[in-house]
Amino acid sequence: PRLLRGRAVIALLRKAVDEQRRSAVAWGIGLLGLAFTYAAIYPSIARSQAALDQYMRSLPEAFRELFGVDYSSPAGYLRAELFASLGPLVFLLVAIGAGARALGGEEEAGTFEVLLALPVRRRAVVLSKALTSTLVSALLAVLLWVALLLLGRPFDLVVPAGDLAAACAMLWLLGLAFGAIALLVGAVTGRRGVAVATTGTLAAVAYIVNLFGLTVDALEPFRPVSPFRWALAPDPLTTGLHPTNIAVLLGIAAVATTLAVVAFERRDVG
């Protein structure tokens, strides 16, 4: 029985990897294209330093706090264009899509009955899906880091490797937190669309709270509730990693995954 369970777990992991392989390759190609595009554009940004920095200083305070005012420097440019804007969106799309598809998508497709016939506990199903999503998004974060290091240098878009790694790591952790929430909603509802819509709405609200909480007094007390607060401030691209920020995002992911296991074990599937 133990050998059979071991083989079943391996089969679960292999299935989870196969499910995400195509999307991971597609997102990886997209990230490479994104890194090259931003690197190629940077020389023209650097040549317009004075005008662009003045423009950034003219923005509302909330946007200055989020994107910074040193737009023409390599770190400032990457923060404004990638790590505080499009980067979080990409990693949220990857993680929320994977988390929602892990349980909700499988149940909607009617394939869970076959999957649960394997000699493994339900928690093994949930954890194998969560582990695969975690590793896939981590690989994409590493790919983005390597791509920016290699493609940025010919265009003078150079940021210390450690700081760049910290920024990529925080994108990964942000996606990990929201991906786990999507996994939880999928475990509770069994509906992929509900998981995507619910988690996407939550992410949008959290982003707005973090952005306008910088200047709106009524929202400021709620900023610590937003995962974006812990992913983006202090700026990892210039200050590196902060243990508290890492712990908060990992804690959200761990709690949501644990609740997903509990919910899925208690819910009737069929």
Side-chain angles (χ1 to χ4, degrees):
R2 184 174 299 178
L3 179 60
L4 288 176
R5 285 196 296 270
R7 289 177 176 174
V9 169
I10 292 174
L12 282 175
L13 289 171
R14 185 176 299 157
K15 182 178 185 301
V17 170
D18 287 342
E19 289 171 348
Q20 297 196 40
R21 182 181 301 163
R22 289 184 180 178
S23 64
V25 171
W27 282 114
I29 294 173
L31 286 174
L32 287 174
L34 199 65
F36 176 77
T37 300
Y38 280 133
I41 292 174
Y42 179 68
S44 64
I45 299 296
R47 288 193 296 268
S48 306
Q49 176 179 356
L52 288 171
D53 287 347
Q54 183 177 359
Y55 168 73
M56 295 300 290
R57 294 188 188 96
S58 69
L59 293 176
E61 182 181 352
F63 292 95
R64 294 200 307 269
E65 290 287 342
L66 181 64
F67 299 119
V69 295
D70 188 20
Y71 181 77
S72 59
S73 71
Y77 171 70
L78 285 177
R79 173 185 170 86
E81 293 293 341
L82 182 60
F83 289 103
S85 53
L86 191 56
L89 177 61
V90 169
F91 277 83
L92 287 180
L93 288 173
V94 171
I96 292 174
R101 184 171 57 249
L103 299 178
E106 192 101 48
E107 192 166 347
E108 284 185 345
T111 56
F112 251 140
E113 289 80 1
V114 176
L115 193 61
L116 295 178
L118 294 172
V120 293
R121 301 182 67 176
R122 287 191 178 194
R123 69 179 56 187
V125 175
V126 179
L127 294 177
S128 66
K129 302 276 191 177
L131 176 61
T132 304
S133 298
T134 299
L135 293 177
V136 167
S137 59
L139 287 174
L140 291 175
V142 172
L143 176 65
L144 178 61
W145 175 63
V146 173
L148 289 172
L149 283 178
L150 297 181
L151 297 175
R153 189 166 297 277
F155 299 99
D156 294 325
L157 184 63
V158 179
V159 176
D163 291 339
L164 196 58
C168 292
M170 296 312 292
L171 286 183
W172 169 63
L173 290 173
L174 179 67
L176 196 66
F178 280 103
I181 294 172
L183 181 72
L184 170 60
V185 178
V188 172
T189 66
R191 295 292 180 265
R192 176 182 177 181
V194 173
V196 170
T198 302
T199 312
T201 300
L202 181 62
V205 171
Y207 184 84
I208 292 171
V209 168
N210 178 66
L211 176 61
F212 292 104
L214 294 166
T215 56
V216 179
D217 292 339
L219 293 178
E220 196 279 332
F222 299 100
R223 278 194 73 223
V225 180
S226 172
F228 288 94
R229 150 66 180 89
W230 303 101
L232 301 177
D235 181 14
L237 199 57
T238 55
T239 65
L241 294 173
H242 298 268
T244 301
N245 298 49
I246 295 173
V248 169
L249 294 176
L250 283 177
I252 293 172
V255 170
T257 301
T258 301
L259 292 176
V261 170
V262 173
F264 190 63
E265 285 187 330
R266 294 182 177 181
R267 195 168 62 81
D268 179 46
V269 177

